[in-house]
Amino acid sequence: MTQQGAALQGYNNELVKCIEDLCMQKEELNKQIQQAEEEKNKLQHEIQVLSEQLECVCENLAQKVASRNELDKILAETEAAYMKILDSSRTLLNVLKKEVGSLKHMPELKTN
């Protein structure tokens, strides 16, 4: 019976060692899980901050694009009006040159 008792004691010792190893693995895994959860929370916070920043940038960009579009419209209208002014100035200049040219062909007024 002593031999059976020694075998049982050996099995018991191995079983206890296996249980202790499993407990150590569980503790290590719990540490890794806690670290992963902390990293996840940190990343989620960073995502939230970046999302808020992105929203602000998008709103600012939309306002700037709208302002640029308004400036483009004003610039196009101003350029069109300026071209009309140039065309009118050219027409006026041509008319004035014709009038001056016809004045050169008129006989001078006689003075008394």
Side-chain angles (χ1 to χ4, degrees):
M1 198 61 89
T2 320
Q3 193 176 11
Q4 291 173 340
L8 184 59
Q9 183 63 37
Y11 296 150
N12 187 45
N13 288 342
E14 281 189 56
L15 184 59
V16 168
K17 183 173 179 349
C18 285
I19 291 172
E20 287 174 351
D21 286 346
L22 288 175
C23 286
M24 287 181 11
Q25 287 178 4
K26 179 184 172 188
E27 285 180 33
E28 180 61 31
L29 193 55
N30 279 338
K31 287 179 187 178
Q32 292 174 0
I33 289 170
Q34 184 178 2
Q35 288 174 346
E37 286 177 344
E38 289 172 1
E39 181 69 14
K40 179 186 126 190
N41 290 337
K42 176 185 166 196
L43 291 173
Q44 284 179 328
H45 177 71
E46 289 176 8
I47 288 171
Q48 181 181 359
V49 168
L50 289 173
S51 293
E52 291 170 1
Q53 289 176 348
L54 177 61
E55 185 178 337
C56 289
V57 168
C58 287
E59 288 175 7
N60 188 282
L61 178 61
Q63 290 173 350
K64 287 181 180 185
V65 167
S67 294
R68 182 191 63 195
N69 291 342
E70 185 64 25
L71 286 174
D72 284 344
K73 179 182 170 190
I74 291 169
L75 184 59
E77 291 171 354
T78 302
E79 286 175 346
Y82 183 68
M83 292 307 292
K84 287 180 181 179
I85 291 170
L86 286 178
D87 190 46
S88 295
S89 295
R90 184 179 64 240
T91 303
L92 178 61
L93 181 60
N94 289 338
V95 168
L96 185 59
K97 283 181 180 179
K98 285 181 185 177
E99 292 295 323
V100 168
S102 66
L103 283 177
K104 288 181 181 177
H105 296 348
M106 289 182 81
E108 292 184 2
L109 292 176
K110 296 182 182 178
T111 53
N112 290 7

